[in-house]
Amino acid sequence: MNMMQHLQVPNRDVENAFTSLKKNNLLAEGKLIYPSIDGKFRLIPLSENLPKNLPKELSKYEVIYAKYKLDNRIDPNWLTHLSVLINNDDFEKFLQLWPASHEFVGDMMIIKLDKKILQFSSQIAKAKLMAHPNLRLILSDQGVMGELRIRELIPIAVRHKNIIISENIPNELCNTKVTVKESGLQIICDPTKAYFSTKLQTERQETLSFAKELRHMLGRKINLCDPFCGVGPAISSLLHEPDLVNNLLSSDLNPEAIKLLFENLTKWDKKPYPSEASEVEWIYPNRLVGAGDVAELVTNREYLGRWDMILINLPHRTLELLPLIIPLLDTSSPSLIRGRIVVEEKDIDITNKIIQEILPNCIPDKPKPKLTIKRDYSSKLRLCSFEAWLK
Ligand SMILES: C[S@@+](CC[C@H](N)C(=O)[O-])C[C@H]1O[C@@H](n2cnc3c(N)ncnc32)[C@H](O)[C@@H]1O
């Protein structure tokens, strides 16, 4: 039965009683106040942490056990909820710092908090959960770390059976492996184990249209190579497109990413893949997949000279790795390298020159590779993309 403690208050006293309960943090979250059967009282839902003795001004009312009613009139403006959870002075003082952006990953929300407002993490997370009734977990993003580009994510609040927990969150409620829907496709990811960003969706759609252009140019299916594939989001829509991909090489240094990639490929290819990560190997005659360093991959002669399109998405090391991956290309017909790179805005022209020197054999009627700014990476750095059409 959906029962909880309510304060039974005569109709005329409701406003005062409500104000006192709110001031003392004794209101239940997300539940409605409703009239008693005889209509003489209002039943106000009470918090689970009720003290033994109610404040003096409330002690004259009876606490009864009654069915609770959920409040479905959720206010989508999270700041309204936050303003109730913290005192007015703090709310106004940090107005400019409350996080304006967030990233939804499945039923999780990832937010970045300025260190000046870290003390309010739990109230911020609560307010976000109150504003978004379908969210389960709020994670605070401490940035992308190390070679594997994994985000350091700290759970700051979880919704469990309609209750919001923001302190001592049990580990078993912090599952971060979720399925994300993108362009009608499902991608399994776990941002605490392998790099994944929903912000690259438009980039991935552009990659699909370049792949189709290359197919048109070649007059056949393309052989696709993604040696920094993560959990495989960049290849998902390409594999879904009928008659686009022939052979696929998909690998990553991070075995956890490959484990998730295998789960994804099992769905996308509709055939089984191993349940644990393994080294790069032919899993099927047209699928070369596994965990491995790109530097080692290119030492295997069997893998060289056979790919029409290469994706290079390791933006801090692109210039260094570009020469290394060139031998993977099939140079007997046109090919395409699609890359991302992080550079200072002032260095864009010089970087364009360097890329053009590394990749001199461009198709004459295609533009030379040139960086397009996609978004700010920091105050000085820009995240850019480029395409190099090679003959
Ligand atoms: C920015 S992430 C991109 C992942 C994926 N392509 C995507 O769009 O979600 C870069 C990936 O490169 C992998 N990586 C880093 N160094 C590598 C190396 N030396 N060889 C192969 N993969 C590497 C990381 O593990 C990470 O998954």
Side-chain angles (χ1 to χ4, degrees):
M1 281 284 265
N2 302 331
M3 306 281 278
M4 72 187 305
Q5 289 181 311
H6 290 71
L7 195 65
Q8 183 173 261
V9 181
N11 289 335
R12 60 173 185 281
D13 291 352
V14 169
E15 205 177 327
N16 287 341
F18 179 80
T19 311
S20 163
L21 286 167
K22 189 171 168 189
K23 192 177 82 193
N24 291 290
N25 229 352
L26 295 175
L27 285 171
E29 275 172 6
K31 312 285 185 326
L32 284 176
I33 300 172
Y34 65 97
S36 59
I37 294 170
D38 61 12
K40 290 183 184 158
F41 300 90
R42 289 288 154 119
L43 306 185
I44 307 180
L46 295 172
S47 143
E48 282 182 303
N49 318 316
L50 215 56
K52 222 163 136 209
N53 298 314
L54 284 178
K56 212 168 125 223
E57 69 273 29
L58 298 172
S59 57
K60 58 187 169 209
Y61 307 124
E62 204 184 336
V63 174
I64 63 161
Y65 213 54
K67 258 189 167 181
Y68 65 71
K69 296 190 178 183
L70 284 177
D71 187 357
N72 294 320
R73 307 158 306 157
I74 302 287
D75 185 339
N77 184 351
W78 80 280
L79 283 174
T80 314
H81 297 283
L82 186 67
S83 67
V84 176
L85 295 174
I86 59 179
N87 75 52
N88 225 4
D89 291 347
D90 285 334
F91 184 75
E92 293 298 330
K93 182 172 165 194
F94 297 110
L95 206 52
Q96 301 305 319
L97 294 183
W98 302 128
S101 61
H102 50 237
E103 184 177 354
F104 289 108
V105 181
D107 61 358
M108 308 186 293
M109 179 191 270
I110 299 176
I111 50 177
K112 276 198 176 129
L113 298 179
D114 188 290
K115 53 180 182 308
K116 293 195 199 84
I117 55 165
L118 282 181
Q119 52 184 314
F120 303 108
S121 301
S122 109
Q123 288 94 330
I124 291 169
K126 262 189 186 173
K128 293 275 188 188
L129 284 171
M130 287 159 85
H132 298 276
N134 295 326
L135 276 186
R136 176 181 52 91
L137 184 61
I138 311 286
L139 300 154
S140 154
D141 189 348
Q142 315 284 303
V144 173
M145 308 282 177
E147 234 180 342
L148 304 183
R149 315 307 295 152
I150 302 174
R151 277 197 267 192
E152 169 110 14
L153 296 172
I154 299 173
I156 47 176
V158 67
R159 190 193 319 270
H160 179 59
K161 297 185 177 163
N162 283 319
I163 293 169
I164 295 176
I165 306 171
S166 60
E167 266 156 50
N168 303 323
I169 307 173
N171 267 348
E172 62 272 20
L173 299 184
C174 297
N175 173 36
T176 45
K177 183 175 162 189
V178 293
T179 300
V180 171
K181 279 204 188 116
E182 190 175 290
S183 316
L185 297 168
Q186 295 193 337
I187 303 168
I188 301 168
C189 66
D190 183 340
T192 63
K193 298 232 162 87
Y195 177 93
F196 180 80
S197 171
T198 56
K199 292 183 186 149
L200 297 182
Q201 193 167 355
T202 320
E203 193 73 11
R204 300 195 255 270
Q205 286 313 302
E206 282 176 16
T207 301
L208 173 63
S209 76
F210 287 129
K212 289 197 219 168
E213 197 176 335
L214 183 62
R215 168 178 63 184
H216 181 72
M217 214 179 255
L218 295 172
R220 59 165 170 80
K221 290 189 199 178
I222 64 168
N223 297 316
L224 174 66
C225 173
D226 186 1
F228 312 94
C229 66
V231 303
I235 56 171
S236 64
S237 51
L238 278 75
L239 287 181
H240 189 67
E241 176 71 25
D243 298 324
L244 180 63
V245 178
N246 180 26
N247 293 327
L248 170 73
L249 189 172
S250 205
S251 62
D252 195 286
L253 186 61
N254 179 0
E256 295 284 354
I258 296 302
K259 203 173 159 198
L260 291 159
L261 173 74
F262 279 158
E263 276 192 61
N264 280 322
L265 284 172
T266 301
K267 285 195 180 207
W268 302 336
D269 268 348
K270 299 188 182 63
K271 47 192 181 189
Y273 277 81
S275 55
E276 289 299 325
S278 47
E279 286 185 4
V280 179
E281 59 184 335
W282 292 98
I283 309 271
Y284 290 103
N286 60 352
R287 296 290 183 259
L288 180 55
V289 192
D293 189 325
V294 73
E296 210 182 306
L297 193 75
V298 296
T299 62
N300 189 330
R301 297 177 72 85
E302 191 207 338
Y303 304 156
L304 305 181
R306 55 188 306 160
W307 310 100
D308 303 308
M309 180 168 180
I310 300 182
L311 308 177
I312 170 162
N313 184 5
L314 188 57
H316 294 277
R317 295 186 59 200
T318 299
L319 284 189
E320 164 203 348
L321 293 171
L322 206 47
L324 201 71
I325 59 157
I326 294 173
L328 289 162
L329 284 173
D330 176 354
T331 48
S332 66
S333 48
S335 54
L336 174 65
I337 297 180
R338 164 106 163 125
R340 289 165 69 72
I341 185 164
V342 169
V343 286
E344 282 197 31
E345 194 159 353
K346 68 171 176 49
D347 293 336
I348 288 187
D349 285 343
I350 177 80
T351 309
N352 283 339
K353 282 203 187 98
I354 297 172
I355 294 176
Q356 289 165 16
E357 273 164 25
I358 300 174
L359 301 168
N361 296 327
C362 291
I363 298 179
D365 56 350
K366 284 282 185 193
K368 288 191 172 173
K370 227 171 81 200
L371 301 185
T372 310
I373 300 178
K374 290 300 170 84
R375 63 180 164 86
D376 291 350
Y377 189 83
S378 66
S379 57
K380 279 190 182 154
L381 294 170
R382 305 287 169 262
L383 189 55
C384 306
S385 295
F386 68 91
E387 299 81 52
W389 294 90
L390 306 167
K391 55 181 184 194

